[in-house]
Amino acid sequence: MAHIDVLTGRPIGTVDRRIFGSVAEHLGRCVDGGVFEAGSPGGLRADVLAAVRDLGVTNVRWPLGAAPGAEEPGRFGTGEFLGWCEVAAVEPVLGFNMDTGTLDEALAWLEYCNGSGDSHWARRRQADGHARPFGVRYWGLGHQMHRRRTAAEYVTEASRWASALKRLDPGIQLISSGRTGMDDWDRDVIDGLARHVDMHGIRLYTGSADYWSNLLAPHYAERALSVAGALIDRARYLQHVEHEIAVACDEWNVWYRTEDGKLEERYSLADALAVATWLNVFVRQSWTVRMANQARLVNALAPIVTSADGLFSQAIYHPFRLMAAACEQVAVDTYTDSGAHIHHDRPGDRWPHRVGDLGLFQRLDVAATADPGRSRLTLSVVNRDPRRSIRTRIRLLDASATGVMGVHEVTGDSPDTVNSFTRPDAISVRNAKREVDGEHVDIAFSPHSFTVLEMQLALPGTATRAAPPRPRAG
């Protein structure tokens, strides 16, 4: 029997709700035919809005294009995007154009979005029908700037931009443009911008047609996040920087099939298990990760796929929704003994991420979160074994389970199963409840599955009356 040991009294990080973010941009059918559709009320698709709310997305990143008032691609520009964010109840994250844009344009965008005085751009926003400031807090200093500048050039320019932008609005949070978190570029940018930024942004994709390579590749992201966090700690220490600097994984996903400009990837159950592992990684690295944005929201590398007549949820929709709904505030420590898989990296995969040197991989990938009072516990478990159910004993080393445990399992007939318009529920969520009582819980995790367990806790020496359950989305 496998074992998962949980220490609710040993926190390893604080889970920021902004790790459940996404991206929208004019790419393929992400906006036109996705978020926006002419003929819908206000141009916004009601079915997409409902799916986004159900998904539990907390923030959406949008790249700024032309200067305020100038022509942006299509009929859906920044003003429309910010209005959509209000309706969808998500926080906007905007990215300044440091490639072809100017600092004057960036300052104009900031004043247009956040200005409350009698300035030209605040009046322009009001004339566009938005009386109140949007109050956008998070702003990226360019995107993929390593393609266009040396690190030294970017640091010089971004420092100048950051100083001017924060003089105009001291309340904003700035995100630097990193690479993978492990590159010389990341080291040099973190060192150069530590006094100016609040987060360092990195961009990572994983994916492989090989089952085990696909599921284990997110551990490269775990390594990269850890390295980026260490580089930040080093820079803060050496430069006596007192304010917190976090990591924003501001573009991530599974992607390895498409490269046609539309990026309408069709995701399998195996991909969903990889996404679930990504989310477990963000929980385990919550000591440094404060934001993450799965790219993208609709149609292009997306959990939601639309047609003129409706939509369906891809396989990757389900682990994201479950984690966004069930994750508690405090990441806590776990130990897993579930049998090991020896992995050898394969040459020729789309993403040359090496993970084989990380050693033996447990067949169960586990993350755990608890509320601050330790009255609730959420366990998220990926069974990566493609063929075997794994009987497991969950041992609560400093608490007892009590009451009714919620069991939510994402599974399908095989790792290659996909959802489609004709079979929208080939991969779905099975929900169950069971009584639990005591310091351990026995459960069998189905092959190639992702399971979220929600249980109520009683601590030693406290009454065993169950705490109120955490409200669930949807």
Side-chain angles (χ1 to χ4, degrees):
M1 175 178 280
H3 292 91
I4 299 172
D5 294 344
V6 183
L7 277 163
T8 63
R10 185 182 289 173
I12 60 173
T14 300
V15 179
D16 195 310
R17 299 293 304 168
R18 293 181 182 88
I19 65 172
F20 301 110
S22 190
V23 177
E25 62 179 313
H26 286 283
L27 176 69
R29 295 193 305 123
C30 182
V31 173
D32 291 313
V35 170
F36 174 85
E37 188 166 82
S40 298
L44 307 181
R45 286 188 58 148
D47 56 349
V48 171
L49 279 170
V52 170
R53 295 189 188 109
D54 178 67
L55 185 58
V57 171
T58 57
N59 65 94
V60 178
R61 183 169 62 81
W62 176 265
L64 291 172
E71 190 69 25
E72 292 189 271
R75 293 160 290 179
F76 192 89
T78 302
E80 290 78 13
F81 168 73
L82 293 172
W84 177 86
C85 286
E86 290 185 354
V87 176
V90 300
E91 186 171 20
V93 179
L94 298 185
F96 289 120
N97 177 7
M98 289 190 67
D99 181 17
T100 59
T102 66
L103 177 56
D104 285 344
E105 290 174 347
L107 293 166
W109 268 123
L110 183 57
E111 183 67 22
Y112 179 89
C113 291
N114 292 0
S116 57
D118 187 31
S119 69
H120 169 78
W121 291 111
R123 292 195 303 272
R124 178 61 181 264
R125 183 195 66 244
Q126 294 160 7
D128 288 343
H130 308 289
R132 295 181 293 108
F134 291 111
V136 179
R137 186 181 182 193
Y138 295 99
W139 300 78
L141 290 169
H143 183 58
Q144 297 189 58
M145 294 301 294
H146 61 276
R147 296 183 173 183
R148 305 166 180 89
R149 308 281 196 280
T150 67
E153 290 169 342
Y154 173 66
V155 164
T156 298
E157 189 175 5
S159 298
R160 184 169 64 90
W161 281 46
S163 297
L165 292 163
K166 287 206 170 185
R167 277 198 302 269
L168 179 61
D169 187 343
I172 62 173
Q173 300 264 299
L174 294 177
I175 306 168
S176 57
S177 175
R179 200 167 180 180
T180 68
M182 294 183 58
D183 291 82
D184 291 346
W185 170 279
D186 294 284
R187 180 200 60 213
D188 294 346
V189 167
I190 288 169
D191 286 346
L193 294 180
R195 297 185 180 279
H196 299 282
V197 301
D198 305 280
M199 297 190 205
H200 179 69
I202 68 174
R203 175 182 183 268
L204 282 170
Y205 289 93
T206 62
S208 171
D210 176 70
Y211 176 82
W212 280 104
S213 297
N214 197 19
L215 266 64
L216 297 177
H219 291 287
Y220 174 83
E222 191 152 20
R223 167 187 271 167
L225 292 168
S226 180
V227 169
L231 289 172
I232 289 169
D233 282 352
R234 173 183 175 274
R236 289 184 65 203
Y237 176 79
L238 293 177
Q239 299 179 40
H240 302 278
V241 175
E242 295 186 2
H243 72 270
E244 181 186 80
I245 305 172
V247 177
C249 192
D250 53 18
E251 191 173 328
W252 71 271
N253 208 343
V254 174
W255 173 26
Y256 61 95
R257 297 179 182 89
T258 56
E259 188 63 270
D260 58 0
K262 297 181 179 179
L263 305 185
E264 299 212 4
E265 196 114 343
R266 290 297 176 261
Y267 287 110
S268 67
L269 176 57
D271 300 325
L273 302 184
V275 164
T277 305
W278 267 98
L279 296 168
N280 277 353
V281 165
F282 293 143
V283 170
R284 291 193 294 263
Q285 297 296 317
S286 57
W287 66 276
T288 191
V289 179
R290 292 288 178 268
M291 181 183 291
N293 300 81
Q294 186 185 43
R296 293 168 184 80
L297 187 58
V298 188
N299 289 325
L301 303 178
I304 302 167
V305 175
T306 68
S307 71
D309 302 318
L311 60 77
F312 73 88
S313 301
Q314 293 227 66
I316 63 172
Y317 185 99
H318 299 299
F320 192 110
R321 184 183 70 81
L322 286 176
M323 288 288 278
C327 252
E328 297 288 353
Q329 185 178 347
V330 182
V332 299
D333 205 4
T334 64
Y335 170 78
T336 303
D337 182 4
S338 59
H341 172 78
I342 301 173
H343 182 68
H344 300 285
D345 295 316
R346 298 188 341 145
D349 274 344
R350 175 167 190 163
W351 307 107
H353 306 321
R354 301 197 315 274
V355 297
D357 62 311
L358 294 175
L360 300 177
F361 290 93
Q362 291 293 316
R363 291 180 180 270
L364 297 181
D365 185 74
V366 180
T369 59
D371 69 306
R374 295 165 64 194
S375 63
R376 295 186 301 271
L377 174 70
T378 295
L379 272 177
S380 48
V381 182
V382 181
N383 181 2
R384 302 190 270 216
D385 195 301
R387 291 178 293 274
R388 288 195 306 121
S389 175
I390 299 181
R391 293 177 59 249
T392 305
R393 172 160 291 184
I394 300 166
R395 302 187 294 200
L396 307 174
L397 301 186
D398 54 4
S400 296
T402 184
V404 177
M405 178 176 71
V407 182
H408 316 283
E409 182 187 64
V410 179
T411 190
D413 292 339
S414 80
D416 297 325
T417 302
V418 298
N419 285 350
S420 64
F421 283 108
T422 55
R423 296 187 67 209
D425 298 315
I427 301 162
S428 60
V429 180
R430 300 172 185 169
N431 298 304
K433 296 180 179 179
R434 55 175 284 192
E435 295 283 342
V436 292
D437 183 22
E439 296 177 352
H440 70 263
V441 175
D442 292 340
I443 189 169
F445 295 107
S446 302
H448 53 75
S449 68
F450 173 61
T451 303
V452 170
L453 304 176
E454 295 180 283
M455 63 186 79
Q456 299 168 46
L457 300 177
L459 302 179
T462 64
T464 58
R465 181 169 57 86
R470 182 183 190 276
R472 288 186 55 78

